Amino acid sequence: MSKILAALMPTPLAAIEVREFPEPELEPNSALMEIDLSEVCGTDVHLHRGRLAGVPYPLIPGHVSVGRLSKIRGRLLDIEGKPFFEGDRVTFLDVHKTCNACWHCLVAKATTRCPHRKVYGITYGLQDGISGGWAQKLYLKPETRCLRLDGVEAERFMAGGCSLPTALHATSRAGVSLGDTVLVLGSGPVALSTIILARMLGAFRVLCIGAPEHRLKAAAEVGASATLNIETHTEEERGQWVLEQTNGRGADVTIEATGAPVAVVQAMRFTRDAGRVCIVGQYTDHGEVAFNPHLDLNQKHLDVRGCWGSDFSHFYLGVQLMADPLRSQPWSHLKLERYGLNQANAALRDVASGKAIKALIDPQL
Amino acid sequence: MSKILAALMPTPLAAIEVREFPEPELEPNSALMEIDLSEVCGTDVHLHRGRLAGVPYPLIPGHVSVGRLSKIRGRLLDIEGKPFFEGDRVTFLDVHKTCNACWHCLVAKATTRCPHRKVYGITYGLQDGISGGWAQKLYLKPETRCLRLDGVEAERFMAGGCSLPTALHATSRAGVSLGDTVLVLGSGPVALSTIILARMLGAFRVLCIGAPEHRLKAAAEVGASATLNIETHTEEERGQWVLEQTNGRGADVTIEATGAPVAVVQAMRFTRDAGRVCIVGQYTDHGEVAFNPHLDLNQKHLDVRGCWGSDFSHFYLGVQLMADPLRSQPWSHLKLERYGLNQANAALRDVASGKAIKALIDPQL
Amino acid sequence: MSKILAALMPTPLAAIEVREFPEPELEPNSALMEIDLSEVCGTDVHLHRGRLAGVPYPLIPGHVSVGRLSKIRGRLLDIEGKPFFEGDRVTFLDVHKTCNACWHCLVAKATTRCPHRKVYGITYGLQDGISGGWAQKLYLKPETRCLRLDGVEAERFMAGGCSLPTALHATSRAGVSLGDTVLVLGSGPVALSTIILARMLGAFRVLCIGAPEHRLKAAAEVGASATLNIETHTEEERGQWVLEQTNGRGADVTIEATGAPVAVVQAMRFTRDAGRVCIVGQYTDHGEVAFNPHLDLNQKHLDVRGCWGSDFSHFYLGVQLMADPLRSQPWSHLKLERYGLNQANAALRDVASGKAIKALIDPQL
Amino acid sequence: MSKILAALMPTPLAAIEVREFPEPELEPNSALMEIDLSEVCGTDVHLHRGRLAGVPYPLIPGHVSVGRLSKIRGRLLDIEGKPFFEGDRVTFLDVHKTCNACWHCLVAKATTRCPHRKVYGITYGLQDGISGGWAQKLYLKPETRCLRLDGVEAERFMAGGCSLPTALHATSRAGVSLGDTVLVLGSGPVALSTIILARMLGAFRVLCIGAPEHRLKAAAEVGASATLNIETHTEEERGQWVLEQTNGRGADVTIEATGAPVAVVQAMRFTRDAGRVCIVGQYTDHGEVAFNPHLDLNQKHLDVRGCWGSDFSHFYLGVQLMADPLRSQPWSHLKLERYGLNQANAALRDVASGKAIKALIDPQL
């Protein structure tokens, strides 16, 4: 039986190591996927720093991946009920086991808060098999939701990567609509996808506050009407800038995608009365921040919406979007850096430092 | 021409004085209203302490009042286009001059944020005439929206008073619906009206955290399923109590009606994942408070909604509600204290101290 | 092995026959439920008349039932993840196999339109085992969603029966809210539950047009503010009556629960401009009806909402509601008629004729 | 005093006549607008055929117009509260007198159903002054809402014309969102604007069924993904075509913009389960049509939404949109035909026959 090389994160802060694993036995209705590309994203940096709860180290990271079904045991069906075949090019929803049987799933219909939810490459560890994409092959457990990538370029799809369903969820939850001036805080991958989507939803203007300059340049290339460097402008200057761009009122909608707690408060302050604020960047705990409930929330009659995770509908829409060469074109501006399995440590470093906008593991390198 | 006695607030902190004013000339399509009862509420305490912006002292307080149209010049029409007559028992919407011509009114449809909005007894001062209800008669300017009080008892209506439209707005914005467990923070008039309305909207359970005991008793009388004294329980104990009452999940909906900034953060913490929080108590600036955006907002996938002011639709619904003897019955539990014009200082003191749940100025006393 | 008696519907229009079946072998994670009461509703009449598509005759009818878990093989978990035990009093969601894997479930989130959905006693036939409640015992397949009935009276629960989740879905979809005047067309079980729920959601007035008189009496007893007999009033008289009750405007919300196509058009006509209409009574095909799109829909700026089936959240809420003695009290007005297994034909006749508002099969009789 | 030439519609069916009128006296806060271009649309054809209710013949048609403020008496303020000056290039909202004082405006917030609403060129007749745009100058009554056209080309704006706010209202009410397949029934001006807007809101595919061929060509030019000629395909073929384009499910959203009652039923049939249908084309009474409430509405769990008129927010958004050269570019595909005042009869004929997609009166010709 053949062997599989994979990049293992043994514990937080320890170096990633390439290891060899035996090819797994397949359960009924499971499959093996040969990986073409797998993402290295901010979540992986958090993983490596030990900032996420519920991670069963050691694990093989890599939650969004594209590749090919190399072996299927039993039946694997698509969303239309049609079978997948060996050789099909696919991606899969990293979220697994949303249970459809608990109070969160069935009563609150808040499936991203289902307590049974597991995520490949994050809350599945080595004990669960080769369950991350930084590997030559990955084990697709039964009931993993795959989608065909017919007509979707691997690189284009990965330029969206995990930021795409997140940004789809955030823009939908923010209620971006025709004519809005949307302010995006941050200029990382989620922010960039958010800018593209806000334009696609009819926003007339999209403002972006972020850093460093090369990311703001990317923001402008993908559709930001105006950008401001957070590192060279004080909060007051930034607030002033937003007012100047918005007839003195503030943005109709602000989407926070930074990770910095203080940005949440600025999101409220930079938004107009009766506007909407969506908080999607606070994926890990970076501590507290102070705000003024009277001035920042109540008197402004604001809607502030936390946005956690994403579900199959966002993943599905993302794949559909990337299948459209014209609509997905803005993502071609995002520069991709490829790393081999044995360069995973460098990939993590480059993502952490912001040097790489989007890093990919390519197991063929 | 006859004289009108009214209670004047000369400046913040100064004692209220009863003064005599000449009966005003009526503009076309204006009226004079003989006051039966006018409210003394928390806003008046804020006014007296100088905590509200844009108040043109000196002014005659009293924004929600009931009485009788004693003189009409020209035509005053009701919402069905039918004329009012002298002698009609009425109340009126304290908010005046929502302009229907600005960006906030016409584009954002956020009429409670219209910059032209004026409020009788708050942002109308003596310079605008006898424009507060702590008076024998009040001047109803053209385009003031009146409603008939046929079949509505004055005392029942005033037990709701200004807290009723506020609570109607808050419960509507919070999206209370059938089966919800609603947590109300606070036990003042807005909180009490909120409890009643949450039950009326189908909440299965309403929890209330407030103080002092006599208000919690009132909360229970008007429909709270369980109450907890904030003064005798730590934040941790309160959080624990909410979890015990909610299957370990937190409230479906929390409505903050306290005025204390820290309550806003507790509202988020005491609410279940994917729940809704409405902030209606932060009417004045009491400073900042710290929260954790990751734990309190983003990961919880919360909706946090500021709620500012109220509009005609809330006022109209409130009058309809009070016209129903059965539905308005819970408000009969709220004890009313009457004060003459020359007892306005005592009324303010009793409201500020929480001694009176609801204080009324009765100019006939 | 013991035997189970059950009432079998061999084909449409044929008489129901009581037959004896062997107790089934239990698959892993399945159970046997001893039936206390099972409903005979309008759907069963449709079944018997052959008016429903996709029914695999012969079948054992009875989709909503209460009873006791008499045997469990493996694990059966409740919505909180806690196990059920033999002896537990339960009911179960008649809808089974909503797949959580298809486009309707995962993308459109229209789970009541999932093509894999099966319904006990309707689209499960004898070939699927003892899968209807008109039996001494019923076979609960794996992944059937059960709820405990602790503290819920069997008779009270069955007075709601299958009409309760339907009415919960309809009132939620109709957006009934505080202050509404709600018009309910029809006076059968769904209509009666709708009346109760509309009041519980804060409707100030509920009007009901139906027949015969004894049902209108029931409508008034459970909360209708005014009723009108459809058999003794022309359409014009009925329209006039609604206008008189609504200040000349029509109902804010109309919920059609009749089954007659013409009622759908009247629902539009009897509703005010910019109001909402929910169509829940057109469960089977009774042919076409003509309407005027300009006058009845476009110019009125109406929202017309079809409402199909119900899901777990409605079922769950219904059980919670029936666990509250006070809130469920209105259902005690609905007279229940009990029939033994061998009286099923009489039960169907009495439901079809409207003689019985609510008929129940009691296998112990 | 100078004279004003205007085209008068004396009665239904009578020929339009050019007449000379004296320049009116201006009330305080009113203005005179020199007309550059005024639209001839389907509504004008309806007017001329006598198909609209409440029209005070004789009247000067022309409800959407662009021009220049040639004389102002008193103050005319824009939505930001800044004054207009003589010489400003403007357009104005044809809807006047939405009262902000009645039940429809203040309680139902259904301002397009305000009974006091008047429309220039439709429900204002000659008795109300020169109140239509088929004139050299038009009288802008006090409280008419004007918007500056700085940077907006007159021809580009008129290519949108009255169909733009209507289409903005319809797409908003239909809830078009990212990824939708939108079916547009009709290929007249409202349909064409709807196609453009649906794309702008993120629809992945827009299908159009209409006629004749030159309009379908325009539909494709402005963004329809696929078109079908209604004149050469049976209803069954059209339904089949929609299914083929939508994975066998029907459109996510259908917007009816035809005027033919039968299209309303087809809109329901061509839409997927749990989809949305917006009916905006039934502006006049063309009689009844039959549908099947079970199959077409209830079982499909559809949302069917009538859409009447438009309000200031749509008009404002339309002007903003047309100020963006890139976003408004699709409207440049719509061919405009100009007619002098004395060619108004020909203009009406060409609009009625569908020969002209968009006809304009140019009083300078």
Side-chain angles (χ1 to χ4, degrees):
Chain A
M1 181 170 279
S2 66
K3 298 290 183 179
I4 297 174
L5 292 177
L8 191 77
M9 185 181 283
T11 63
L13 304 177
I16 311 295
E17 302 163 14
V18 178
R19 296 263 188 89
E20 199 177 72
F21 298 93
E23 195 171 299
E25 294 279 330
L26 297 187
E27 287 175 87
N29 305 321
S30 74
L32 213 56
M33 175 181 172
E34 205 173 298
I35 302 293
D36 287 336
L37 293 170
S38 185
E39 195 175 6
V40 184
C41 75
T43 301
D44 299 308
V45 175
H46 291 316
L47 267 182
H48 195 228
R49 290 178 176 168
R51 301 197 69 106
L52 297 180
V55 179
Y57 300 94
L59 84 163
I60 299 167
H63 54 120
V64 171
S65 314
V66 296
R68 205 168 287 273
L69 293 173
S70 58
K71 195 187 286 185
I72 298 176
R73 179 172 172 208
R75 275 156 59 98
L76 200 66
L77 299 180
D78 71 11
I79 199 175
E80 311 289 351
K82 294 179 201 140
F84 284 101
F85 296 105
E86 293 180 0
D88 282 352
R89 289 184 62 239
V90 298
T91 183
F92 65 94
L93 178 63
D94 55 353
V95 177
H96 191 222
K97 292 265 175 222
T98 303
C99 75
N100 199 35
C102 73
W103 183 88
H104 286 87
C105 284
L106 291 181
V107 178
K109 295 176 185 175
T111 60
T112 70
R113 299 300 301 148
C114 168
H116 303 286
R117 197 174 174 256
K118 289 287 181 182
V119 186
Y120 280 89
I122 300 178
T123 54
Y124 272 143
L126 192 56
Q127 72 200 24
D128 304 294
I130 304 182
S131 52
W134 300 5
Q136 290 175 320
K137 291 183 184 169
L138 174 142
Y139 177 48
L140 292 171
K141 298 166 187 283
E143 297 186 40
T144 299
R145 309 274 173 235
C146 296
L147 285 174
R148 271 185 202 82
L149 288 176
D150 302 342
V152 182
E153 277 178 52
E155 297 218 335
R156 181 67 58 89
F157 183 78
M158 292 307 288
C162 72
S163 75
L164 181 55
T166 303
L168 283 162
H169 194 185
T171 46
S172 147
R173 187 141 165 74
V176 174
S177 75
L178 197 73
D180 281 337
T181 294
V182 175
L183 170 63
V184 176
L185 298 184
S187 51
V190 172
L192 295 171
S193 283
T194 298
I195 292 167
I196 301 171
L197 292 171
R199 296 304 292 252
M200 212 176 281
L201 282 156
F204 279 3
R205 313 194 68 237
V206 181
L207 314 176
C208 175
I209 299 178
E213 277 302 327
H214 75 93
R215 291 197 169 193
L216 293 181
K217 195 160 159 283
E221 280 166 3
V222 300
S225 319
T227 65
L228 194 76
N229 193 320
I230 188 173
E231 292 171 348
T232 56
H233 294 81
T234 63
E235 178 172 345
E236 197 188 328
E237 286 167 344
R238 286 176 266 142
Q240 200 50 44
W241 179 78
V242 173
L243 291 180
E244 282 160 16
Q245 305 276 337
T246 56
N247 237 340
R249 286 191 282 257
D252 295 302
V253 175
T254 300
I255 298 176
E256 180 279 334
T258 70
V262 71
V264 173
V265 179
Q266 291 166 14
M268 297 191 231
R269 291 190 183 149
F270 296 170
T271 304
R272 70 162 168 88
D273 287 359
R276 285 147 278 145
V277 173
C278 181
I279 303 302
V280 70
Q282 308 292 313
Y283 188 63
T284 51
D285 186 353
H286 284 91
E288 297 205 326
V289 65
F291 80 118
N292 183 306
H294 168 61
L295 297 174
D296 298 332
L297 179 54
N298 195 357
Q299 191 184 52
K300 293 189 80 143
H301 198 78
L302 277 191
D303 263 339
V304 181
R305 299 168 187 169
C307 182
W308 186 253
S310 55
D311 70 20
F312 184 85
S313 71
H314 307 110
F315 170 62
Y316 175 83
L317 192 51
V319 172
Q320 281 199 308
L321 182 49
M322 288 309 186
D324 182 328
L326 199 66
R327 275 212 181 65
S328 63
Q329 198 274 337
W331 278 275
S332 69
H333 290 285
L334 305 193
K335 198 157 158 262
L336 304 175
E337 307 286 344
R338 282 173 185 249
Y339 301 81
L341 282 174
N342 54 9
Q343 296 169 300
N345 292 296
L348 279 174
R349 265 197 311 276
D350 292 352
V351 169
S353 71
K355 188 181 149 199
I357 285 186
K358 187 65 88 172
L360 302 177
I361 298 292
D362 176 346
Q364 273 75 52
L365 284 187
Chain B
M1 178 166 284
S2 65
K3 298 289 184 181
I4 297 175
L5 291 177
L8 192 76
M9 185 181 284
T11 62
L13 303 177
I16 311 294
E17 303 163 13
V18 177
R19 296 265 188 86
E20 200 177 72
F21 298 93
E23 196 171 297
E25 294 278 332
L26 297 187
E27 290 174 85
N29 305 320
S30 74
L32 213 56
M33 175 180 170
E34 205 173 297
I35 301 294
D36 286 335
L37 293 170
S38 185
E39 195 175 5
V40 183
C41 75
T43 301
D44 299 308
V45 174
H46 292 316
L47 266 182
H48 195 228
R49 289 178 176 167
R51 300 199 70 106
L52 296 180
V55 178
Y57 301 94
L59 84 163
I60 299 167
H63 53 120
V64 171
S65 313
V66 295
R68 205 169 287 273
L69 293 172
S70 58
K71 194 187 287 185
I72 298 176
R73 178 171 174 210
R75 274 156 58 98
L76 199 67
L77 299 181
D78 69 11
I79 198 175
E80 311 289 350
K82 292 180 203 140
F84 284 101
F85 296 104
E86 293 179 359
D88 282 353
R89 290 186 60 240
V90 298
T91 182
F92 65 94
L93 179 63
D94 54 353
V95 177
H96 191 222
K97 291 266 176 221
T98 302
C99 75
N100 198 35
C102 73
W103 183 88
H104 286 87
C105 283
L106 291 181
V107 179
K109 296 177 184 174
T111 59
T112 69
R113 300 302 299 148
C114 169
H116 303 287
R117 197 173 173 259
K118 290 285 183 185
V119 186
Y120 279 89
I122 300 178
T123 55
Y124 272 143
L126 192 56
Q127 70 199 25
D128 304 294
I130 303 183
S131 51
W134 299 4
Q136 291 175 321
K137 291 183 184 173
L138 174 141
Y139 176 48
L140 291 172
K141 297 165 186 284
E143 297 187 41
T144 299
R145 309 274 173 238
C146 297
L147 285 173
R148 270 183 202 83
L149 287 176
D150 302 342
V152 182
E153 278 177 52
E155 297 219 336
R156 181 65 60 90
F157 183 78
M158 293 306 287
C162 73
S163 75
L164 182 56
T166 303
L168 283 162
H169 194 185
T171 46
S172 148
R173 187 142 165 75
V176 174
S177 74
L178 197 73
D180 282 337
T181 294
V182 175
L183 170 63
V184 175
L185 298 184
S187 51
V190 172
L192 295 172
S193 283
T194 297
I195 292 167
I196 301 172
L197 292 171
R199 296 303 294 250
M200 213 177 281
L201 282 156
F204 279 3
R205 312 195 71 237
V206 181
L207 313 176
C208 174
I209 300 178
E213 277 302 328
H214 75 93
R215 291 198 170 192
L216 293 181
K217 196 161 159 282
E221 280 167 4
V222 301
S225 320
T227 64
L228 194 75
N229 192 321
I230 190 173
E231 293 171 346
T232 56
H233 294 83
T234 63
E235 177 172 345
E236 198 189 326
E237 287 168 344
R238 284 175 268 143
Q240 201 50 45
W241 178 78
V242 173
L243 291 180
E244 281 160 17
Q245 305 276 337
T246 57
N247 236 340
R249 284 190 283 256
D252 296 302
V253 175
T254 300
I255 298 176
E256 180 280 333
T258 69
V262 72
V264 172
V265 179
Q266 290 166 14
M268 296 191 233
R269 291 190 183 148
F270 296 169
T271 304
R272 70 162 168 90
D273 287 359
R276 285 148 278 144
V277 173
C278 182
I279 304 302
V280 70
Q282 308 292 312
Y283 189 63
T284 51
D285 186 352
H286 284 91
E288 297 204 327
V289 65
F291 79 118
N292 183 306
H294 168 61
L295 297 174
D296 298 331
L297 179 54
N298 195 355
Q299 190 184 54
K300 293 189 81 145
H301 198 81
L302 277 190
D303 264 341
V304 182
R305 299 168 186 168
C307 183
W308 186 253
S310 55
D311 70 20
F312 184 84
S313 70
H314 307 111
F315 170 62
Y316 175 82
L317 192 52
V319 172
Q320 282 199 307
L321 183 50
M322 288 310 187
D324 182 329
L326 199 64
R327 274 212 181 65
S328 65
Q329 197 275 337
W331 279 275
S332 69
H333 290 284
L334 305 193
K335 198 158 161 263
L336 304 174
E337 306 287 343
R338 283 171 186 249
Y339 301 80
L341 283 173
N342 56 7
Q343 297 168 299
N345 292 297
L348 279 175
R349 263 198 312 275
D350 291 351
V351 169
S353 71
K355 189 183 149 197
I357 285 186
K358 186 68 87 175
L360 302 177
I361 297 292
D362 177 346
Q364 272 76 53
L365 284 189
Chain C
M1 177 167 284
S2 65
K3 297 291 183 180
I4 296 174
L5 291 178
L8 191 76
M9 186 182 282
T11 63
L13 304 177
I16 311 294
E17 303 164 14
V18 178
R19 295 265 189 88
E20 198 177 71
F21 299 92
E23 195 172 298
E25 294 280 330
L26 297 187
E27 287 176 87
N29 306 319
S30 73
L32 214 55
M33 175 182 171
E34 206 174 296
I35 302 294
D36 286 336
L37 294 171
S38 185
E39 194 175 5
V40 183
C41 74
T43 301
D44 299 308
V45 174
H46 292 316
L47 267 182
H48 195 228
R49 289 176 177 169
R51 300 199 70 106
L52 297 180
V55 179
Y57 300 96
L59 85 162
I60 300 167
H63 54 118
V64 170
S65 313
V66 295
R68 204 169 288 271
L69 292 173
S70 57
K71 194 187 287 186
I72 299 177
R73 179 172 173 207
R75 274 155 59 99
L76 200 67
L77 299 180
D78 70 12
I79 198 175
E80 310 289 351
K82 292 181 203 139
F84 284 101
F85 296 105
E86 292 181 358
D88 283 352
R89 289 184 62 237
V90 297
T91 183
F92 64 95
L93 179 63
D94 55 352
V95 177
H96 191 223
K97 292 263 175 223
T98 302
C99 76
N100 198 35
C102 73
W103 182 89
H104 286 86
C105 283
L106 291 180
V107 178
K109 295 176 185 175
T111 59
T112 68
R113 299 301 300 149
C114 168
H116 303 286
R117 195 173 175 258
K118 288 287 181 181
V119 187
Y120 279 88
I122 300 178
T123 56
Y124 273 142
L126 191 56
Q127 70 199 25
D128 304 294
I130 305 183
S131 50
W134 299 5
Q136 290 175 320
K137 293 184 184 169
L138 174 142
Y139 177 48
L140 291 172
K141 297 165 187 284
E143 298 185 41
T144 299
R145 309 274 173 236
C146 296
L147 285 173
R148 272 185 201 80
L149 288 176
D150 302 341
V152 181
E153 278 178 51
E155 298 219 334
R156 180 69 58 90
F157 183 79
M158 294 307 289
C162 73
S163 75
L164 180 56
T166 302
L168 282 162
H169 194 186
T171 46
S172 148
R173 189 144 165 73
V176 174
S177 74
L178 197 73
D180 282 337
T181 294
V182 175
L183 169 63
V184 176
L185 299 184
S187 51
V190 172
L192 295 171
S193 283
T194 297
I195 292 166
I196 301 171
L197 292 171
R199 297 303 293 251
M200 213 176 282
L201 282 157
F204 280 2
R205 314 193 70 238
V206 181
L207 313 176
C208 174
I209 301 179
E213 277 303 327
H214 75 96
R215 291 198 169 194
L216 293 181
K217 194 159 159 284
E221 279 166 2
V222 300
S225 320
T227 64
L228 194 76
N229 192 321
I230 189 173
E231 292 171 347
T232 54
H233 295 83
T234 64
E235 178 173 344
E236 197 189 327
E237 286 167 345
R238 285 176 268 142
Q240 200 50 44
W241 178 78
V242 172
L243 291 179
E244 281 160 16
Q245 304 277 337
T246 56
N247 236 341
R249 284 192 283 258
D252 295 302
V253 176
T254 299
I255 298 176
E256 178 279 334
T258 68
V262 71
V264 172
V265 179
Q266 290 166 13
M268 298 191 231
R269 291 188 182 151
F270 296 170
T271 303
R272 70 162 168 90
D273 287 359
R276 284 148 279 145
V277 173
C278 181
I279 303 302
V280 69
Q282 307 291 313
Y283 189 65
T284 51
D285 185 354
H286 284 92
E288 298 203 327
V289 65
F291 80 117
N292 183 307
H294 168 62
L295 297 174
D296 298 331
L297 179 54
N298 195 359
Q299 190 184 54
K300 292 189 81 142
H301 198 78
L302 276 191
D303 265 337
V304 181
R305 300 168 185 166
C307 183
W308 186 253
S310 55
D311 70 21
F312 184 85
S313 70
H314 308 109
F315 170 61
Y316 175 83
L317 191 52
V319 172
Q320 282 200 306
L321 182 50
M322 288 311 186
D324 182 328
L326 200 64
R327 275 212 181 66
S328 64
Q329 198 273 337
W331 279 276
S332 69
H333 291 285
L334 305 193
K335 196 153 162 267
L336 305 174
E337 306 287 343
R338 284 172 184 249
Y339 301 80
L341 283 173
N342 55 8
Q343 297 168 299
N345 292 297
L348 279 175
R349 265 197 312 274
D350 292 350
V351 170
S353 71
K355 187 183 152 202
I357 285 187
K358 186 68 85 173
L360 302 177
I361 297 292
D362 177 346
Q364 272 76 51
L365 285 188
Chain D
M1 176 165 285
S2 66
K3 297 290 185 182
I4 296 174
L5 292 177
L8 193 76
M9 186 182 283
T11 63
L13 304 176
I16 311 294
E17 303 163 14
V18 178
R19 296 264 189 86
E20 200 177 68
F21 299 94
E23 196 172 297
E25 294 279 333
L26 296 187
E27 288 175 86
N29 306 320
S30 75
L32 213 56
M33 176 181 170
E34 205 174 297
I35 300 296
D36 287 336
L37 294 170
S38 185
E39 194 174 6
V40 183
C41 75
T43 301
D44 300 308
V45 175
H46 291 315
L47 267 182
H48 195 227
R49 289 176 177 169
R51 299 198 70 105
L52 296 180
V55 178
Y57 301 94
L59 85 162
I60 300 167
H63 54 120
V64 171
S65 312
V66 295
R68 205 169 287 272
L69 293 172
S70 57
K71 193 187 286 185
I72 299 177
R73 179 173 173 208
R75 275 156 58 97
L76 200 66
L77 299 180
D78 71 12
I79 198 174
E80 310 289 350
K82 293 182 202 137
F84 284 101
F85 296 105
E86 293 180 0
D88 283 351
R89 289 185 60 239
V90 297
T91 183
F92 64 94
L93 179 63
D94 55 353
V95 177
H96 191 223
K97 294 262 176 222
T98 302
C99 75
N100 198 34
C102 73
W103 182 88
H104 286 85
C105 283
L106 292 180
V107 179
K109 296 177 185 175
T111 59
T112 68
R113 300 301 300 148
C114 169
H116 303 286
R117 197 173 173 259
K118 288 286 182 183
V119 187
Y120 280 89
I122 300 178
T123 55
Y124 273 142
L126 192 56
Q127 72 200 24
D128 304 293
I130 304 183
S131 51
W134 298 5
Q136 290 175 320
K137 292 183 182 169
L138 173 141
Y139 177 48
L140 291 172
K141 298 165 187 284
E143 297 186 42
T144 299
R145 309 273 173 240
C146 295
L147 285 173
R148 273 186 199 80
L149 288 176
D150 302 341
V152 181
E153 280 179 49
E155 297 218 336
R156 180 67 58 89
F157 184 78
M158 293 306 287
C162 72
S163 75
L164 181 55
T166 302
L168 282 162
H169 195 185
T171 47
S172 148
R173 187 142 165 75
V176 174
S177 75
L178 196 73
D180 281 338
T181 294
V182 175
L183 170 63
V184 176
L185 299 184
S187 51
V190 171
L192 294 171
S193 284
T194 297
I195 291 167
I196 301 171
L197 293 171
R199 295 304 294 251
M200 213 177 281
L201 282 157
F204 280 2
R205 315 195 68 237
V206 181
L207 313 175
C208 174
I209 299 177
E213 276 303 327
H214 75 95
R215 291 199 168 192
L216 293 181
K217 196 159 159 284
E221 280 167 3
V222 301
S225 320
T227 64
L228 194 75
N229 192 319
I230 190 173
E231 292 171 346
T232 56
H233 294 82
T234 64
E235 177 173 345
E236 196 189 328
E237 287 167 344
R238 285 176 267 141
Q240 199 51 43
W241 179 78
V242 173
L243 290 180
E244 282 160 14
Q245 305 276 337
T246 55
N247 238 340
R249 286 192 281 257
D252 296 301
V253 176
T254 299
I255 298 176
E256 179 280 332
T258 69
V262 71
V264 172
V265 179
Q266 290 166 14
M268 297 191 234
R269 289 188 183 152
F270 295 170
T271 303
R272 71 162 167 88
D273 287 358
R276 285 147 279 146
V277 173
C278 181
I279 303 302
V280 69
Q282 308 293 313
Y283 189 64
T284 51
D285 186 353
H286 284 90
E288 297 203 327
V289 64
F291 79 118
N292 182 307
H294 168 63
L295 297 174
D296 298 332
L297 178 55
N298 195 356
Q299 191 184 55
K300 294 189 79 145
H301 197 79
L302 278 190
D303 263 341
V304 181
R305 300 168 186 168
C307 182
W308 186 253
S310 55
D311 70 21
F312 184 85
S313 69
H314 307 110
F315 171 61
Y316 175 83
L317 191 52
V319 172
Q320 282 201 307
L321 183 50
M322 288 310 187
D324 182 327
L326 201 64
R327 274 212 182 65
S328 64
Q329 197 274 336
W331 279 275
S332 69
H333 290 286
L334 305 194
K335 201 158 158 261
L336 304 174
E337 306 286 344
R338 281 170 186 252
Y339 301 79
L341 282 173
N342 56 8
Q343 297 168 298
N345 292 296
L348 278 175
R349 264 197 312 275
D350 291 352
V351 169
S353 72
K355 187 183 153 200
I357 285 187
K358 186 68 85 172
L360 302 177
I361 296 293
D362 176 346
Q364 273 75 53
L365 283 188

